[in-house]
């Protein structure tokens, strides 16, 4: 019998969806702790029942397949539950960045056609202002966290009231097609209005499992929520941690002392954080820092982690896994896969290896560093700069209602990341800059990340960012912005001396500007465009 005659049927083919993870967690480990938040402890059986109740109550409100449900929430249990309850209805979850202004929140509610909007009472002012401008205001549901003292209700009903109206008898079905949309995530909109990136059930399933393997999440992993769940759906970890029936430790605020304390108290095994959070941990007061008796792994990405920070984290006893990705790639899509031979390297050298972005994650199919005009791959020489291109199953469906931007992003059958890097002989990519951040001096490319890496090695430097400064002779030269650690002193001369000792002369900053704090985006990335405008204003 020809194998081609064998057909798909309901017994041998079901669509991939991360919803199966929670059903299985409740079946396999009903009594294991699923969620910890303050005094709250809930098991997997209870968490699953709450999600079913929430889905049924939302259905009674008229939410159905294809509808958008928006959420403006910190990392609280309700946000986790929405990651399951909303897709159970075939609806699409739009988790919004809680640090955005009212205008942008209103834009996203309108653009995404949100039917329901869950908002934390702490954000009542911005949420109300956003709603007042909406063309078709959604139904508002307040999430009332007892930890919020200044909160105000602005909605028709609270989350708990809604939950009490639902039924645990609710039954969900996997989507008929795994290409069905599961979430909508807006980019940060540094160049105009944010774009709405749409994910599907298949990609969410695959990236969750790719994370499980990439980070080595064991059954029952204890995961601390430092990375916002609104950021690329927490890089798909709401689903990944559930796949291993692990424990989600929720945290409302990212503060070093709370992070150290939570890891100690709950024996957290894994967490994810942007490099800026690792910098906070490394520079926290010694009395706050805890050296843990148990193994802890932190995944970092979202911006280039300086090798010095990786080194300092490893000294604290925290193993670092370096990930690279974008909103468009469901978060992690490239991973700095650890090579056995690195284990014996001196720490600084090992940190240097980990600081490279790496190779394809398990759920991606192909990558290349290539000429953006011809799509011709660059040689794997660790020197020629090209743009990073990706393709695979954990790639967005496209930008909502923006066919032009979608076509541009996928031109030539590859996703254009807009990041520039080199390809090493071992196949690892090393990002040198975003295309718009690279500094071209006298025809030579200077990677701002390379210069920043050196600056971070100076003991007095807390934060550093390097941008291009116009120069009549060289075209552009590097200018460094630096925030100094508390109680330390540093001047321009010392910075230049330190750079000259560690970098080629033409890469050394020609100007150094000291700031109390560097401006950051709502996702904690240093805003180089703000620094460039400051520089322009200073020289005007
Ligand atoms: P936004 O583009 O709105 O800042 P994203 O979270 O999608 O939001 O950011 C993706 C970008 O972040 C990438 O294009 C890249 O420039 C940067 N990035 C992410 N991870 C890394 C990393 N590990 N190293 C260097 N840059 C990174």
């Amino acid at each position: 019998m020809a194998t081609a005659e064998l057909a798909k049927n309901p017994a041998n083919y079901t669509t991939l969806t991360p919803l199966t993870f929670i059903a299985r967690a409740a079946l396999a480990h009903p009594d294991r702790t699923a969620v910890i938040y303050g005094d709250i402890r809930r098991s997997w059986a209870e968490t699953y029942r709450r999600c079913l109740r929430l889905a049924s109550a939302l259905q009674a409100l008229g939410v159905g397949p294809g509808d958008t449900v928006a959420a403006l929430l910190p990392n609280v249990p309700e946000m986790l539950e929405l990651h399951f309850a909303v897709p159970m209805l075939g609806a699409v979850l739009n988790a919004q960045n809680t640090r955005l202004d009212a205008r942008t929140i209103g834009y996203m509610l309108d653009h995404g056609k949100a039917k329901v909007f869950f908002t934390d009472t702490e954000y009542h002012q911005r949420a109300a202002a956003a709603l007042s401008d909406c063309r078709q205001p959604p139904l508002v549901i307040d999430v009332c966290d007892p930890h919020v003292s200044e909160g105000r209700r602005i909605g028709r009903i609270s989350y708990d009231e809604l939950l009490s109206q639902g039924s645990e008898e609710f039954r969900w079905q996997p989507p008929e097609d795994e290409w069905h949309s599961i979430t909508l995530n807006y980019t940060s909109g540094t160049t105009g209005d944010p774009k709405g990136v749409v994910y599907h059930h298949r990609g969410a399933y695959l990236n969750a499992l790719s994370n499980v393997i990439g980070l080595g999440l064991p059954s029952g992993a204890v995961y601390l929520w430092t990375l916002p769940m609104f950021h690329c759906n927490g890089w798909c970890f709401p689903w990944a941690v559930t796949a291993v029936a692990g424990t989600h430790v929720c945290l409302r605020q990212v503060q070093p002392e709370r992070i150290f304390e939570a890891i100690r108290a709950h024996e957290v095994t894994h967490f994810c954080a942007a490099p800026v959070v690792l910098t906070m941990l490394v520079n926290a007061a010694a009395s706050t820092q805890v050296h843990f008796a148990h193994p802890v792994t932190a995944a970092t990405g979202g911006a280039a982690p300086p090798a010095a920070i990786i080194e300092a984290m490893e000294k604290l006893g925290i193993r670092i896994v370096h990930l690279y990705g974008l909103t468009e790639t469901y978060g992690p899509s490239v991973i700095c896969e650890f090579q056995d031979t690195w284990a014996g390297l001196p720490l600084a050298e090992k940190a240097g290896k980990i600081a490279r972005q790496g190779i394809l994650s398990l759920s991606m199919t192909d990558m290349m560093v290539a000429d953006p005009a011809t799509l011709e791959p660059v040689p794997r020489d660790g020197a020629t700069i090209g743009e990073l291109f990706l393709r695979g199953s954990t790639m967005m469906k496209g930008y909502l209602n923006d066919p032009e931007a979608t076509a541009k992003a996928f031109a030539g059958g590859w996703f254009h990341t807009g990041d520039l890097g080199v390809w090493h002989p071992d196949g690892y990519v090393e990002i040198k800059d975003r295309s718009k951040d690279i500094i071209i001096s006298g025809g030579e490319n200077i990677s701002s990340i390379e210069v920043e890496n050196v600056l971070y090695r100076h003991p007095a430097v807390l934060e550093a960012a390097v941008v291009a400064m116009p120069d009549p002779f060289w075209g552009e030269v590097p200018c460094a912005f630096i925030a100094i650690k508390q109680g330390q002193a540093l001047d321009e001369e010392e910075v230049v001396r330190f750079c000259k000792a560690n970098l080629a002369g033409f890469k050394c900053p020609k100007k150094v500007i000291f700031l109390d704090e560097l401006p950051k985006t709502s996702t904690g990335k240093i805003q180089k465009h703000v620094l460039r405008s400051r520089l322009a204003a200073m020289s005007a």
Side-chain angles (χ1 to χ4, degrees):
M1 182 169 135
T3 55
E5 283 166 25
L6 299 171
K8 277 184 194 165
N9 68 60
N12 67 15
Y13 180 86
T14 57
T15 50
L16 300 180
T17 169
L19 293 174
T20 50
F21 299 155
I22 189 165
R24 186 178 177 280
L27 184 71
H29 298 284
D31 300 325
R32 191 185 267 173
T33 306
V35 177
I36 298 179
Y37 180 54
D39 299 334
I40 295 174
R41 298 274 183 293
R42 292 197 189 108
S43 68
W44 274 114
E46 189 184 359
T47 299
Y48 187 40
R49 285 198 301 268
R50 283 171 62 90
C51 291
L52 294 172
R53 286 224 307 266
L54 180 58
S56 105
L58 281 171
Q59 189 177 50
L61 289 178
V63 176
D67 287 336
T68 302
V69 173
L72 187 69
L73 300 173
N75 284 341
V76 289
E78 289 82 351
M79 184 63 136
L80 179 71
E81 290 166 359
L82 284 165
H83 274 80
F84 291 95
V86 172
M88 280 177 185
L89 295 165
V92 179
L93 177 67
N94 168 219
Q96 299 192 345
N97 187 326
T98 57
R99 295 160 199 149
L100 292 173
D101 58 290
R103 196 200 73 81
T104 312
I105 295 168
Y107 173 85
M108 296 189 292
L109 292 174
D110 270 340
H111 186 263
K113 296 196 170 59
K115 200 163 183 177
V116 175
F117 179 38
F118 287 87
T119 174
D120 192 281
T121 54
E122 181 185 337
Y123 313 135
H124 67 92
Q125 269 171 340
R126 265 179 304 138
L131 287 161
S132 68
D133 284 343
C134 273
R135 282 194 299 268
Q136 264 201 312
L139 175 94
V140 181
I141 297 169
D142 292 306
V143 173
C144 311
D145 182 341
H147 298 92
V148 176
S149 52
E150 311 260 296
R152 237 193 59 208
R153 285 184 58 169
I154 58 166
R156 176 130 50 102
I157 157 175
S158 77
Y159 188 94
D160 289 346
E161 288 157 2
L162 181 71
L163 211 58
S164 68
Q165 296 172 3
S167 157
E168 288 167 21
E169 303 308 314
F170 177 83
R171 290 293 166 262
W172 57 270
Q173 293 292 325
E176 264 177 42
D177 186 342
E178 57 197 21
W179 180 255
H180 190 81
S181 305
I182 186 165
T183 54
L184 167 66
N185 289 293
Y186 282 87
T187 60
S188 65
T190 36
T191 52
D193 280 329
K195 294 197 280 282
V197 172
V198 181
Y199 296 178
H200 48 56
H201 280 249
R202 170 186 168 83
Y205 177 98
L206 291 171
N207 210 31
L209 292 189
S210 176
N211 285 335
V212 167
I213 294 164
L215 232 69
L217 287 185
S219 174
V222 182
Y223 181 85
L224 179 67
W225 273 105
T226 33
L227 180 83
M229 280 191 235
F230 62 69
H231 198 195
C232 320
N233 300 113
W235 298 351
C236 297
F237 278 85
W239 302 306
V241 176
T242 304
V244 296
T247 302
H248 296 267
V249 180
C250 292
L251 198 62
R252 209 182 156 86
Q253 277 146 342
V254 174
Q255 288 163 342
E257 53 279 22
R258 285 178 194 238
I259 295 175
F260 282 115
E261 176 49 24
I263 297 176
R264 192 198 56 75
H266 307 301
E267 294 199 17
V268 167
T269 56
H270 294 79
F271 69 98
C272 296
V276 52
V277 174
L278 303 189
T279 304
M280 274 164 51
L281 296 180
V282 163
N283 292 302
S287 56
T288 309
Q289 288 179 340
V290 181
H291 290 257
F292 306 107
H294 67 282
V296 183
T297 298
T300 195
I309 298 291
I310 296 177
E311 191 182 336
M313 285 295 288
E314 297 251 341
K315 274 191 193 145
L316 278 175
I318 300 177
R319 179 175 77 102
I320 295 290
V321 176
H322 179 190
L323 305 168
Y324 160 96
L326 305 89
T327 305
E328 286 84 341
T329 63
Y330 294 64
S333 51
V334 168
I335 177 166
C336 188
E337 192 84 17
F338 195 83
Q339 297 292 327
D340 301 338
T341 49
W342 299 352
L345 293 177
L347 190 49
E349 208 177 315
K350 189 169 101 178
K353 296 275 188 204
I354 300 174
R356 302 184 307 164
Q357 281 64 25
I359 56 154
L360 289 183
S361 71
L362 205 57
S363 57
M364 295 304 278
T365 308
D366 208 356
M367 75 178 221
M368 65 174 182
V369 180
D371 181 312
T374 61
L375 295 194
E376 196 55 45
V378 302
R380 296 189 185 194
D381 57 6
T384 314
I385 290 196
E387 183 176 349
L388 175 63
F389 293 87
L390 293 164
R391 56 163 60 130
S393 292
T394 50
M395 181 62 67
M396 66 165 175
K397 293 173 78 168
Y399 298 114
L400 183 68
N401 296 334
D402 198 342
E404 215 174 292
T406 305
K408 200 168 153 215
F410 291 146
W414 286 91
F415 173 66
H416 298 230
T417 65
D419 288 309
L420 300 179
V422 296
W423 217 353
H424 286 280
D426 59 0
Y428 282 46
V429 64
E430 182 178 352
I431 298 294
K432 294 287 185 180
D433 250 318
R434 284 192 136 177
S435 0
K436 55 182 186 300
D437 290 338
I438 195 109
I439 303 163
I440 304 174
S441 191
E444 297 271 11
N445 286 329
I446 302 175
S447 149
S448 62
I449 294 176
E450 185 185 347
V451 186
E452 288 156 12
N453 261 323
V454 168
L455 292 170
Y456 271 99
R457 294 220 303 265
H458 192 287
V461 169
L462 177 68
E463 287 173 337
V466 175
V467 300
M469 177 170 78
D471 181 89
F473 186 72
W474 298 109
E476 290 178 345
V477 289
C479 167
F481 285 84
I482 291 176
I484 305 173
K485 281 185 197 163
Q486 246 186 350
Q488 303 264 6
L490 192 60
D491 59 16
E492 178 158 8
E493 206 180 316
E494 163 64 8
V495 171
V496 174
R497 187 204 60 76
F498 186 77
C499 286
K500 283 205 170 131
N502 290 287
L503 276 174
F506 74 100
K507 296 182 179 173
C508 293
K510 300 293 174 292
K511 190 179 179 74
V512 182
I513 298 168
F514 295 96
L515 298 178
D516 291 340
E517 200 186 336
L518 300 191
K520 306 216 181 55
T521 65
S522 51
T523 47
K525 294 179 201 197
I526 295 172
Q527 288 174 303
K528 292 201 172 170
H529 67 281
V530 173
L531 297 175
R532 276 190 285 265
S533 334
R534 276 206 200 184
L535 192 60
M538 285 165 74
S539 29

